[in-house]
Amino acid sequence: MTSTLPPVALLVWMVCVVVDTGGQLAFKYAATDAIEGDGVARWRGMARRPWLWLGLSCYVVEFVAWLAFLSLVPLSDGVLLGSINIVAIMLAGRYLFKEQLSQLRVVGILLITAGVAIVGWT
């Protein structure tokens, strides 16, 4: 990329980050919700919960947004910018699910964020 991210690409990228993070969080809720049974019974229980369908809906929206984003930026830039989703999901997991972030993971978050900033602004 030879210039900063165009405003429309920035907007679409933010949509991608929000819906991907929302989808992952919805899947986590669906997977950890108290559902009785094992195997097929558990999957049927998850299919009756709204979290699974919310997650799938987020992924449909993300698919469309991702295609739009890739039409606006080179693939190599898009994939690198898309890695910020990992950071958003890790931070949301820490906040919502009280998951642990080791020092190495925090360093990884900082490195990913720095890399995304470099790609986005160069």
Side-chain angles (χ1 to χ4, degrees):
M1 192 164 20
T2 56
S3 64
T4 59
L5 208 56
V8 69
L10 180 63
L11 177 65
V12 175
W13 175 58
M14 291 171 64
V15 169
C16 288
V17 172
V18 168
V19 292
D20 183 52
T21 302
Q24 291 289 343
L25 294 173
F27 286 142
K28 179 66 175 174
Y29 275 119
T32 58
D33 205 3
I35 299 172
E36 294 183 16
D38 292 326
V40 174
R42 181 169 173 75
W43 282 98
R44 285 183 182 155
M46 280 194 283
R48 288 190 294 270
R49 306 289 169 109
W51 292 115
L52 181 65
W53 299 105
L54 177 63
L56 289 172
S57 298
C58 285
Y59 269 36
V60 169
V61 173
E62 184 195 9
F63 174 75
V64 173
W66 183 248
L67 287 177
F69 183 62
L70 289 180
S71 73
L72 299 169
V73 299
L75 177 62
S76 59
D77 291 343
V79 169
L80 287 172
L81 291 169
S83 64
I84 199 68
N85 294 2
I86 297 167
V87 172
I89 292 165
M90 289 177 71
L91 293 176
R94 170 74 178 123
Y95 179 73
L96 294 174
F97 300 106
K98 310 298 182 217
E99 295 180 349
Q100 296 295 313
L101 290 178
S102 68
Q103 289 180 337
L104 276 178
R105 287 184 183 207
V106 172
V107 169
I109 286 171
L110 295 173
L111 289 172
I112 291 170
T113 303
V116 169
I118 290 169
V119 170
W121 285 294
T122 58

